[in-house]
Amino acid sequence: MSHELEQLRDAALSEIGGAGDEQTLEAARVRYLGRAGSISAWADRMKSLSKEEKPVVGKLLNEARTSVTAAIAEAADRLRAAKEARELADIDISLPGTAAELGSLHPLTQMLDRAISIFRRMGFALAEGPDVETEWHCFDALNTAPDHPARNEQDTFYLPDGRLLRTHTSTVQIRTMEKAPPPIRVIAPGAAYRRDEVDATHSAQFHQIEGLYVDEKVSIGDLKGTLEFFLHELFGAETQVRFRPHYFPFTEPSFEIDVKSKALKGGEKWLEMCGCGMVHPAVFEQVNSARGDTAYDPKKWSGFAFGLGMDRLAMILFGIPDLRYFAANDLRFLRQFA
Ligand code: PHE
């Protein structure tokens, strides 16, 4: 005849196997394995058993506990699966689902991300400054004469308090040098504003990436190498780059950079990309006077600066024919860059 414990185990297994819901299963668990459960109770009874009986019953007790515990886990899984199946029974999985709408980055942002990653590899950090600026940061500090046409009311948006919307990101050159002594190696992407007649290539608000590099013995070779490397990385190694002498009040000498590449839209023409030059000593002097020191001694430090037309870069990179698309918020346009 089988031992009482074995009978108890068999009763437990069949009760657990037959449990039709979680409450019944839990009641069976408490009854057999709970602290005062009938299987557990055998542990207390062990003490009063004879030496011969102890190992036999101990073994049976362990077996009973293990198999009942396993059966409870198995039954819990079975009940959970059944419950899920009941819940899913009402759902028609053949119905089309609701697609998650995924957004994408604006083409200007994509272009900027690429540009930033190229300059970052050359050790440039990001700098920034406000869109609403003082006349001093936008013009005087940049060695721009009081009668310079860029300052004209017809060209620049002035606020009633005398401040203005910056006409270029070169203001960030000044703000960066005011804050920190040389060496400096920054780029500053941002918006700029001019009273331009809006057409396919002009807008009252546009975007630039300013660059400033100040160190000892910086030369035009550094300027040229940096910008050529950047343009080749962005547009491809076959891109031709041309430096044309130009005039800016805040750089001397100054250049405009054009690119030409068969790989680009409108690739047979030279396309104007960027203004640049060697930082004018007068700019360093203005910064020194604002700082109240001589940190930017033009005899010790030299530098180059550049201002890339960001919208221009993106138009060329993606073959976009009209600047106005960038701000029109038309999904048919934006989705092409997803
Ligand atoms: N700020 C100039 C512009 O907007 C570009 C420029 C930047 C030129 C830095 C030289 C150096 O046209």
Side-chain angles (χ1 to χ4, degrees):
M1 209 195 98
S2 62
H3 191 275
E4 207 181 316
L5 243 174
E6 291 174 293
Q7 292 169 11
L8 200 55
R9 179 199 61 197
D10 292 344
L13 291 181
S14 90
E15 208 172 306
I16 289 164
D21 57 63
E22 280 163 4
Q23 288 88 328
T24 316
L25 182 64
E26 176 61 8
R29 187 190 68 77
V30 171
R31 187 144 13 90
Y32 291 101
L33 293 183
R35 195 175 281 200
S38 49
I39 292 181
S40 314
W42 272 88
D44 299 331
R45 280 158 74 178
M46 292 279 288
K47 279 180 234 123
S48 53
L49 294 178
S50 70
K51 260 201 179 114
E52 295 72 33
E53 275 179 314
K54 257 186 190 161
V56 179
V57 172
K59 189 158 174 261
L60 284 174
L61 180 60
N62 272 337
E63 275 170 11
R65 251 204 212 116
T66 313
S67 60
V68 170
T69 305
I72 288 173
E74 208 175 288
D77 283 348
R78 171 174 56 79
L79 291 174
R80 203 174 309 122
K83 190 170 164 213
E84 264 175 31
R86 275 197 307 280
E87 282 167 0
L88 289 175
D90 294 337
I91 296 174
D92 182 352
I93 57 159
S94 67
L95 282 174
T98 320
E101 292 263 6
L102 257 196
S104 63
L105 293 178
H106 191 278
L108 274 176
T109 307
Q110 294 183 28
M111 202 288 309
L112 181 59
D113 285 349
R114 281 206 222 177
I116 290 174
S117 79
I118 298 169
F119 281 117
R120 182 162 286 166
R121 275 154 60 202
M122 292 190 277
F124 283 80
L126 279 175
E128 58 181 7
D131 291 17
V132 176
E133 261 297 3
T134 65
E135 203 173 340
W136 188 79
H137 284 95
C138 198
F139 296 122
D140 302 277
L142 287 159
N143 194 36
T144 306
D147 60 350
H148 193 282
R151 293 187 178 220
N152 206 301
E153 298 243 343
Q154 267 78 56
D155 285 336
T156 297
F157 295 104
Y158 286 92
L159 275 69
D161 67 4
R163 288 181 302 163
L164 47 78
L165 296 182
R166 65 181 178 192
T167 59
H168 51 186
T169 46
S170 299
T171 53
V172 187
Q173 292 184 36
I174 304 303
R175 292 202 170 263
T176 304
M177 291 191 281
E178 277 179 325
K179 271 192 292 221
I184 297 282
R185 198 187 308 183
V186 293
I187 53 167
Y193 307 82
R194 289 179 200 172
R195 284 188 187 268
D196 268 333
E197 206 61 59
V198 176
D199 65 21
T201 55
H202 293 88
S203 167
Q205 180 189 341
F206 57 102
H207 304 85
Q208 293 186 322
I209 304 174
E210 192 75 15
L212 176 66
Y213 190 134
V214 181
D215 207 330
E216 285 175 89
K217 301 194 178 71
V218 178
S219 71
I220 297 184
D222 297 316
L223 163 66
K224 208 162 178 242
T226 303
L227 288 171
E228 270 177 2
F229 177 80
F230 170 74
L231 292 165
H232 283 151
E233 285 296 300
L234 193 66
F235 293 132
E238 72 287 353
T239 307
Q240 289 173 266
V241 180
R242 174 172 85 176
F243 282 67
R244 220 169 358 90
H246 198 74
Y247 172 78
F248 296 104
F250 36 92
T251 46
E252 178 60 32
S254 305
F255 307 92
E256 277 196 326
I257 301 178
D258 306 325
V259 297
K260 182 157 108 168
S261 168
K262 286 203 182 57
L264 303 173
K265 222 183 190 133
E268 292 313 314
K269 290 194 306 262
W270 285 105
L271 302 162
E272 185 190 316
M273 262 314 61
C274 175
C276 62
M278 304 305 290
V279 178
H280 198 298
V283 173
F284 285 151
E285 298 292 10
Q286 288 282 6
V287 168
N288 282 338
S289 70
R291 292 174 56 95
D293 63 15
T294 54
Y296 285 86
D297 179 356
K299 286 193 203 66
K300 177 160 188 225
W301 304 97
S302 54
F304 66 74
F306 57 86
L308 288 151
M310 227 167 99
D311 311 78
R312 203 90 212 281
L313 286 177
M315 285 169 82
I316 293 172
L317 194 63
F318 297 118
I320 296 167
D322 193 319
L323 183 63
R324 288 166 291 195
Y325 287 139
F326 286 137
N329 220 9
D330 186 334
L331 286 179
R332 291 168 303 178
F333 169 74
L334 296 172
R335 283 206 175 103
Q336 295 176 49
F337 306 94

